[in-house]
Amino acid sequence: MAGGAFAVNGEGKEYGGKLTVSVIITCIVAASGGLIFGYDIGISGGVTTMPSFLKKFFPTVLRKKEEAQKDEYCVYDSQVLTAFTSSLYIAGLFASLMASRVTKTIGRQMTMLLGGVTFLSGSIINAAAMNVEMLILGRILLGFGVGFTNQATPIYLSEMAPSQYRGAFNTGFQFFIGIGVVISNLINYGTSRISNWGWRLSLGLAAAPAAVMLIGAIFIPDTPSSLILRGKQNGARMALRRVRGSNTDVEPELADLIRAHEMSKLVKEEPFKTIFRRQYRPQLVMSIAIPLFQQLTGINVIAFYAPVLFQTVGFGSNPALMAAVILGAVNLGSILVSTFIVDRYGRKVLFMEGGVQMIVCQVALAWVLGAQVGVSGASLPKNYSEAVLALMCIYAAGFGWSWGPLSWLVPSEIFPMEIRAAGQSITVAVNFAVTFVLAQTFLTMLCHFKFGTFLFYAGWITTMTAFVALFLPETKGVPLDSMHTVWEKHWYWRRFVQETKPAQTI
């Protein structure tokens, strides 16, 4: 979509309008789709530390825990246990690949509704689970819900928000992910005291954020770009008037959206074929590299297994759950910081500062654990456990104002209309694929690599920070229909981006 209030199009023309209450409410409601993703990220790790849950589904892990084996690194090393967490992400991978066609056919709003219904069904099955198979089935349905929602919501926000506020509105998605993580950690802290069925309450309450998103999505309009894509120009005009203000002349912006759609129609191939053309090489690389690097920061596996990890380094069961709450709260606060500064200082500065901060913390974590625990897996002394918590909080803050929100923001704003759905699908699919692999292997890696696990992630963060410095152009304040200019001016990507017709082939 071409910018918004006081935004300029590709020819430098201002659209007019203002930052309305309607666009604020609409984007907040849409961003609340992040609640279901965040709730799931936070809830699974806490549930897997509850004795009643382990007794019912993973008795072998419980026996290892009760035997207090000397090697604390390896207590939770169980492929079936990690499958409980990671199965959601393999389902999300398949859903995200389907979602490209779904969002094109039924729109962004309806895709969010579909995701909410599927997630709600999964939460009910998980709460009622009687065996591992039922548990995994529920997780798969949750994965489909998250896959559809993560596909539609970032695009919705980028298409609906005014260009000069696009960064702030889009980080709202990550902010609600953070809220979901904190809420789920608090719930786990409370339900862990319910001896026999606390885990059911934790898993079943996933229905609450799904209901919030469902109810909200019913009352918001679809984006003007999506409506035009489906031939509903009058609906697009009404949606623009609603979010730009009833007294605003929306015709210039509408005309540019229609023009962009007409140009995209010149591409006769499927979007998944089109995105592989030479002139879209920068967007294709970013759609793969950014979500890949986001997950290789290690943040999600740390969030999944935070209670497990804190128990590993010496916290008791309840203190470990509270430490996870603190970690989530720090991450949430840092996302809020990003919301206020991303449109002022830009994307690239935050990417790089956050990267350096995370590198320092991961190396320091490895040093503390290596010096005090070594490879033996003995419990960490209390004062050093507190140092580990502090370092992880600083690490989470660095992620929260950089790679967390920006990894959803940048991919959602760099794709032209003709490949936008396909590009976002690739982004979400890569995110889920890498998350699945890391979630499935993290506890085994912790068991075998010991403190070297954190050096593994530090190495990747170093690589991705260098990548951003060299290959990512600044997209702050650039209207979506003018985004091609940032590639044309870039020292490397300009060789691929040429003034050609959309139908040009490699």
Side-chain angles (χ1 to χ4, degrees), residues 224-483:
S225 291
S226 178
L227 291 166
I228 290 172
L229 192 65
R230 290 178 287 131
K232 300 180 179 181
Q233 292 187 12
N234 287 333
R237 182 180 286 107
M238 292 174 63
L240 276 175
R241 286 175 178 168
R242 178 172 174 177
V243 296
R244 302 292 182 247
S246 58
N247 297 324
T248 301
D249 180 13
V250 299
E251 294 304 319
E253 185 173 359
L254 180 65
D256 282 336
L257 288 173
I258 295 172
R259 187 179 303 112
H261 174 57
E262 293 299 323
M263 291 181 64
S264 71
K265 287 166 63 177
L266 296 175
V267 180
K268 302 300 183 182
E269 291 179 338
E270 284 289 318
F272 277 105
K273 291 183 179 178
T274 305
I275 198 172
F276 283 94
R277 293 182 174 181
R278 181 178 177 83
Q279 63 263 39
Y280 302 121
R281 192 66 48 80
Q283 293 93 333
L284 176 63
V285 170
M286 293 302 165
S287 71
I288 296 171
I290 290 178
L292 171 68
F293 286 142
Q294 186 203 40
Q295 292 309 308
L296 286 171
T297 63
I299 188 65
N300 271 355
V301 290
I302 289 175
F304 298 151
Y305 301 119
V308 172
L309 189 59
F310 285 126
Q311 282 196 20
T312 296
V313 299
F315 288 82
S317 180
N318 287 334
L321 289 172
M322 180 50 65
V325 172
I326 294 170
L327 189 66
V330 169
N331 181 61
L332 179 61
S334 62
I335 296 168
L336 191 59
V337 171
S338 181
T339 301
F340 287 105
I341 66 175
V342 66
D343 288 315
R344 175 175 296 182
Y345 298 106
R347 287 65 160 143
K348 194 165 183 175
V349 170
L350 292 181
F351 264 133
M352 295 179 66
E353 189 284 330
V356 171
Q357 186 170 328
M358 288 188 287
I359 292 167
V360 171
C361 289
Q362 292 279 35
V363 172
L365 278 168
W367 179 79
V368 171
L369 292 176
Q372 298 300 318
V373 178
V375 296
S376 66
S379 295
L380 196 67
K382 181 179 179 181
N383 57 330
Y384 286 100
S385 297
E386 293 169 353
V388 166
L389 175 59
L391 286 168
M392 290 185 67
C393 285
I394 298 171
Y395 161 84
F399 178 86
W401 58 53
S402 63
W403 281 86
L406 298 183
S407 294
W408 296 107
L409 166 60
V410 173
S412 73
E413 65 185 2
I414 63 175
F415 302 113
M417 188 181 294
E418 62 268 21
I419 60 168
R420 190 168 296 158
Q424 184 67 12
S425 282
I426 292 173
T427 298
V428 177
V430 171
N431 187 292
F432 280 132
V434 180
T435 303
F436 168 76
V437 172
L438 294 179
Q440 189 66 30
T441 59
F442 177 72
L443 294 180
T444 299
M445 184 185 299
L446 186 64
C447 177
H448 292 88
F449 285 13
K450 317 295 184 182
F451 61 88
T453 301
F454 299 98
L455 293 177
F456 169 82
Y457 288 118
W460 277 111
I461 299 170
T462 302
T463 301
M464 68 199 222
T465 303
F467 175 86
V468 166
L470 292 173
F471 297 110
L472 183 68
E474 181 56 65
T475 56
K476 178 187 71 172
V478 181
L480 295 191
D481 68 341
S482 302
M483 197 61 69

Side-chain angles (χ1 to χ4, degrees), residues 63-81:
R63 284 196 297 271
K64 288 168 66 177
K65 184 178 178 182
E66 290 175 343
E67 289 168 2
Q69 295 184 2
K70 291 182 179 180
D71 191 351
E72 295 284 348
Y73 284 122
C74 297
V75 168
Y76 291 94
D77 182 17
S78 165
Q79 289 300 301
V80 181
L81 178 61

Side-chain angles (χ1 to χ4, degrees), residues 102-138:
V102 172
T103 54
K104 183 178 180 180
T105 304
I106 67 175
R108 289 42 162 152
Q109 178 209 22
M110 288 300 297
T111 303
M112 288 189 283
L113 285 169
L114 178 62
V117 170
T118 310
F119 192 91
L120 184 64
S121 303
S123 65
I124 293 171
I125 292 175
N126 269 348
M130 300 304 296
N131 50 51
V132 173
E133 291 77 14
M134 195 172 177
L135 200 66
I136 299 298
L137 173 62

